[in-house]
C-alpha cells in the first residue's frame, strides 16, 4: 500500500476512535445520571452512607472528578477511567451530605420522572431504569472498542 494511503487510513481511524470515545462518554453520562435518580443510586447512596466515616462520599467524589479530568487532559480522548467516572460520579455526588447531595437527588429524580412519561406513552412502560442500564452497558462496550482500536492504531503507527 502506498505511504500516503496508509497515512490517510491512520488519520481516519484516529478520528473514528476519538468520535467513538466521546460518544461513549456522552452515553455514559446519560446512563450514570439516570442511574443516580433511581434504585441504582439509592443502593450506592445506602452503601456509602453505611460506612462509618461521613467523609467517604466527598473524598470519592473528588477522586472521581479529578480522575475524569486527568484522563481527558492527558490525551484528549476519554478512556475507561472517564467512562467509569461518568457512570459513578452522579451517584456518588448524590450520596454526599449537604446541599450538593440534595440538589443532585432532586435533579436526577426530576430527570427520571421526565423520561418516564414519554417512555410510558411510547413504549407502554416506565423504562428509565432500562434506558439507564442499556446506556451504561452500551458505553462500557463502546469504551472497550475504543481501547482495542487505539491499540491497533498505535501498532500501525509503530510499523
Amino acid at each position: 500500500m502506498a505511504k500516503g494511503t496508509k497515512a490517510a487510513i491512520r488519520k481516519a481511524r484516529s478520528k473514528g476512535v476519538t468520535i467513538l470515545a466521546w460518544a461513549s462518554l456522552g452515553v455514559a453520562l446519560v446512563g450514570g445520571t439516570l442511574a443516580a435518580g433511581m434504585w441504582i443510586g439509592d443502593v450506592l447512596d445506602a452503601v456509602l452512607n453505611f460506612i462509618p466515616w461521613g467523609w467517604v462520599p466527598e473524598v470519592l467524589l473528588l477522586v472521581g472528578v479529578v480522575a475524569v479530568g486527568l484522563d481527558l487532559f492527558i490525551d484528549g480522548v476519554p478512556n475507561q477511567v472517564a467512562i467509569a467516572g461518568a457512570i459513578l460520579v452522579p451517584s456518588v455526588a448524590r450520596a454526599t451530605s449537604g446541599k450538593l447531595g440534595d440538589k443532585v437527588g432532586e435533579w436526577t429524580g426530576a430527570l427520571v420522572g421526565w423520561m418516564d412519561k414519554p417512555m410510558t406513552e411510547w413504549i407502554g412502560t416506565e423504562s428509565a431504569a432500562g434506558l439507564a442500564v442499556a446506556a451504561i452497558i452500551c458505553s462500557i462496550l463502546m469504551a472497550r472498542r475504543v481501547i482495542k482500536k487505539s491499540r491497533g492504531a498505535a501498532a500501525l503507527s509503530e510499523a
Side-chain angles (χ1 to χ4, degrees):
M1 212 184 274
K3 194 171 191 166
T5 306
K6 284 184 180 179
I9 290 171
R10 270 191 236 122
K11 185 175 181 181
R13 185 174 288 166
S14 176
K15 284 185 181 181
V17 167
T18 303
I19 290 168
L20 185 61
W22 283 100
S24 176
L25 182 67
V27 173
L29 282 170
V30 169
T33 305
L34 284 172
M38 43 195 204
W39 65 268
I40 300 169
D42 293 340
V43 168
L44 190 59
D45 187 16
V47 168
L48 289 176
N49 287 318
F50 182 72
I51 298 171
W53 306 286
W55 47 264
V56 171
E58 288 82 2
V59 171
L60 287 176
L61 179 63
L62 178 66
V63 167
V65 169
V66 169
V68 170
L70 283 175
D71 185 36
L72 295 175
F73 178 74
I74 288 173
D75 60 358
V77 178
N79 298 323
Q80 283 181 329
V81 172
I83 302 302
I87 293 169
L88 294 174
V89 163
S91 292
V92 173
R94 181 181 162 203
T96 59
S97 57
K99 288 185 178 182
L100 177 65
D102 295 341
K103 284 295 180 190
V104 170
E106 288 174 21
W107 292 337
T108 57
L111 178 65
V112 169
W114 178 75
M115 290 293 296
D116 278 343
K117 185 177 180 186
M119 292 293 208
T120 303
E121 292 173 8
W122 282 74
I123 299 173
T125 182
E126 293 180 354
S127 59
L131 179 62
V133 171
I136 290 169
I137 291 170
C138 183
S139 67
I140 291 170
L141 292 175
M142 288 169 61
R144 290 179 56 94
R145 183 77 177 156
V146 166
I147 290 169
K148 286 180 185 176
K149 287 211 174 264
S150 64
R151 284 183 187 152
L156 279 176
S157 66
E158 291 174 2

